[in-house]
Amino acid sequence: MMKARSLTAALLLTLSSGPALAQAEPPRAPRMPPRRAPPTSPGSERPAPRGMSKADRDAALTAIAAALRESYVFPEKVPAIIERLEQSRKAGRYDLEDAGVLSERITVDLQAASSDRHLYLNHDPVQYAAEQQRAEHGTPDEAAGPDELLRREALRDHHGLSEMKLLPGNLRYLRITGFEWVRDETGTVYDDAMRFLKDGDAIIIDLRGNGGGEHAAVRYLVSHFLDGDVLELTFLAGKNPPVQSRTLEHVPAGRLKGKPLYVLIDGNVASAGEAFAYDVAQFKLGELVGAKTVGAANNNRYVPIRPGFVLSVSFGRPVHAISNTNWEGVGVLPTVEAPPTQALETAQLLALKRLSEAPGVSPEALADYEWARLDVEARLRPTTVPVERLKSLAGRYGDFEVALREGSLWMMRPGRPDRRLSPLTADGLFAVDGSDMLRVRFKPKTMETLWRGAPAPRVYPRS
């Protein structure tokens, strides 16, 4: 589980100084729902669960109501939320000893009454203890140093940048599972990723399943696609002065402006994940491919609730510089709808088509894009070749032997491993499994081997 640090002291410290529209590190928005339980500190053990008494439940509900009255971002909704909780309490809905199930039921009621996906309750004694300590000591975030639990998870997750790969056609792919941020550490990881993306003909950033994280990571990422010092978001929190998030003046890897950009989204993208997608849409930085996102925009902080609960409370909201609103309750819509499981292939085809149609593209690049397109098309819309047709292609071609085994063609050559052939098109073009450099085309009396980048195929007559 990605745990955001307590925001109260940090935000108050930021807002108590400087102009009304201060440029500061913006509020953080934790992932939602939590991915997993946080790691315990070395040598420690998670406290054993105990049954919840009526006194425990009543005390927790009282504390939740107090936290909502104190800082919920939409005070006009608070009476209805508290009334919903009270009705459930009177109806016996919360008469449970299992704290985990109780937190789930309270979360359902909180979100039903508020339509706020950042308003939820977790039972987590480890995080409760950490938040309680911060609340009691009042230590500002900026002075406390990095939270070790956060840092350990960020290191294990590679700061949320889980996968980078080179796709055919020199499309550069980056998967971001969460916007994790450790000050003075995460930025260098993003720098390496941005340098990788910078050399691509087009960029694909995969946010599918990204439940959020910290806005500092979003700001760092989007700064690579915009000029410096561009107003992105303004954060509003009650009567406090607004806080601006502006793009960074300097990014070590350089800007990526102007490159074709495709961002993959789905119904599990939330919070900070949506913030980047919303930036892409509002600043018209590229295409959003997939399905509508969750619709959770509010900024939240954690409040310890006895015994062992942590309440996520929305205390502020972002306002985007272009739309003058945000994505709360409506989500971010794709510019190109696609089933999430096919969003990557859809984005690849869009990118390859755009690159192929660009003015001045070289014949070598065109051939490379076409080579890549055929592979993606085959994955998106697999070709099925009848067994009788496959059987007719089996035979000897020069030094090659082609045989039919269990419904697939196999290519064999003395001294070389056997290679399975997978159909790319219905007219006899096959991919060679295990190689993205070699393909095979069957003609009535010949078999051709096509090497990526080669000017002409090698022809082997059928004997």
Side-chain angles (χ1 to χ4, degrees):
M1 174 181 174
M2 169 74 168
K3 292 295 197 300
R5 287 173 281 174
S6 176
L7 302 174
T8 309
L11 189 63
L12 290 176
L13 183 65
T14 299
L15 296 177
S16 63
S17 60
L21 286 175
Q23 168 61 33
E25 182 173 324
R28 303 169 177 86
R31 295 176 187 159
M32 30 153 310
R35 296 185 306 161
R36 59 180 182 264
T40 56
S41 57
S44 68
E45 295 182 357
R46 182 172 296 279
R50 65 179 180 84
M52 296 289 294
S53 67
K54 182 179 184 302
D56 290 335
R57 296 191 294 266
D58 289 345
L61 290 168
T62 298
I64 290 169
L68 292 171
R69 292 190 183 100
E70 179 183 356
S71 60
Y72 187 58
V73 61
F74 300 116
E76 68 277 8
K77 291 186 177 182
V78 171
I81 299 171
I82 294 175
E83 177 61 24
R84 175 68 176 255
L85 298 178
E86 182 63 16
Q87 288 176 356
S88 292
R89 185 189 68 80
K90 291 179 178 178
R93 175 171 160 78
Y94 301 150
D95 291 349
L96 302 164
E97 292 189 2
D98 189 311
V101 177
L102 176 62
S103 66
E104 290 174 359
R105 291 193 179 182
I106 291 176
T107 294
V108 168
D109 289 338
L110 288 170
Q111 295 186 354
S114 66
S115 300
D116 183 347
R117 294 292 297 275
H118 275 120
L119 186 58
Y120 57 86
L121 185 71
N122 286 334
H123 183 250
D124 188 334
V126 172
Q127 191 190 4
Y128 166 83
E131 299 296 341
Q132 183 68 21
Q133 183 178 19
R134 293 189 186 101
E136 291 173 354
H137 293 283
T139 308
D141 242 13
E142 273 73 5
D147 184 302
E148 190 57 27
L149 295 181
L150 257 179
R151 183 176 181 276
R152 286 211 307 273
E153 179 169 326
L155 293 177
R156 291 182 65 85
D157 293 345
H158 196 59
H159 300 261
L161 308 186
S162 64
E163 186 177 7
M164 289 186 292
K165 59 185 176 183
L166 174 63
L167 300 174
N170 194 26
L171 309 183
R172 301 295 176 100
Y173 170 93
L174 172 65
R175 180 169 177 79
I176 306 178
T177 55
F179 282 104
E180 304 183 42
W181 188 260
V182 178
R183 184 174 296 179
D184 298 329
E185 295 186 40
T186 302
T188 59
V189 178
Y190 270 88
D191 294 342
D192 291 341
M194 296 303 106
R195 291 187 181 100
F196 169 77
L197 296 180
K198 193 173 183 179
D199 291 333
D201 292 1
I203 295 169
I204 298 175
I205 296 179
D206 191 350
L207 298 183
R208 290 174 296 179
N210 185 320
E214 302 195 26
H215 189 78
V218 176
R219 180 176 62 173
Y220 201 85
L221 175 61
V222 79
S223 293
H224 292 81
F225 298 94
L226 291 166
D227 290 328
D229 197 33
V230 173
L231 177 61
E232 178 212 7
L233 293 170
T234 300
F235 293 95
L236 306 178
K239 298 179 180 179
N240 294 313
V243 176
Q244 288 185 346
S245 171
R246 308 184 75 93
T247 57
L248 302 174
E249 292 276 17
H250 171 68
V251 285
R255 311 281 170 180
L256 281 71
K257 294 171 56 183
K259 282 191 181 290
L261 173 65
Y262 301 86
V263 178
L264 314 185
I265 57 175
D266 66 7
N268 293 312
V269 176
S271 194
E274 292 176 285
F276 180 69
Y278 198 74
D279 279 338
V280 171
Q282 294 300 314
F283 288 117
K284 302 187 185 307
L285 303 178
E287 301 282 2
L288 297 173
V289 183
K292 187 178 76 169
T293 63
V294 169
N298 294 331
N299 305 114
N300 58 328
R301 60 169 162 251
Y302 291 133
V303 178
I305 302 291
R306 295 181 187 276
F309 294 102
V310 178
L311 176 68
S312 170
V313 179
S314 300
F315 69 95
R317 60 188 177 90
V319 177
H320 199 273
I322 302 298
S323 66
N324 291 316
T325 184
N326 60 47
W327 57 95
E328 179 69 28
V330 295
V332 182
L333 295 173
T335 54
V336 179
E337 289 191 32
T341 55
Q342 298 178 351
L344 175 56
E345 290 78 10
T346 302
Q348 287 179 266
L349 290 178
L350 290 169
L352 293 168
K353 182 176 187 295
R354 175 174 172 178
L355 293 169
S356 298
E357 296 173 351
V361 60
S362 69
E364 294 79 12
L366 277 174
D368 198 30
Y369 299 148
E370 177 61 13
W371 182 280
R373 184 192 67 80
L374 289 172
D375 178 67
V376 178
E377 286 274 13
R379 284 189 283 116
L380 195 58
R381 291 175 280 275
T383 297
T384 301
V385 179
V387 173
E388 289 302 316
R389 166 67 173 156
L390 295 176
K391 190 180 298 184
S392 72
L393 299 176
R396 179 170 291 278
Y397 299 84
D399 294 337
F400 290 94
E401 181 76 24
V402 176
L404 181 65
R405 298 181 192 165
E406 299 178 352
S408 296
L409 287 180
W410 287 76
M411 183 174 70
M412 296 161 284
R413 196 178 194 184
R416 306 285 179 85
D418 296 354
R419 309 293 285 274
R420 189 165 69 99
L421 304 181
S422 300
L424 288 173
T425 64
D427 64 354
L429 182 64
F430 288 76
V432 179
D433 284 11
S435 173
D436 61 355
M437 299 296 294
L438 175 63
R439 288 174 182 168
V440 171
R441 184 186 297 278
F442 290 96
K443 292 190 173 181
K445 295 182 180 181
T446 62
M447 182 186 79
E448 300 177 347
T449 58
L450 299 88
W451 290 90
R452 180 179 168 188
R458 299 176 187 175
V459 181
Y460 300 88
R462 184 168 187 166
S463 57

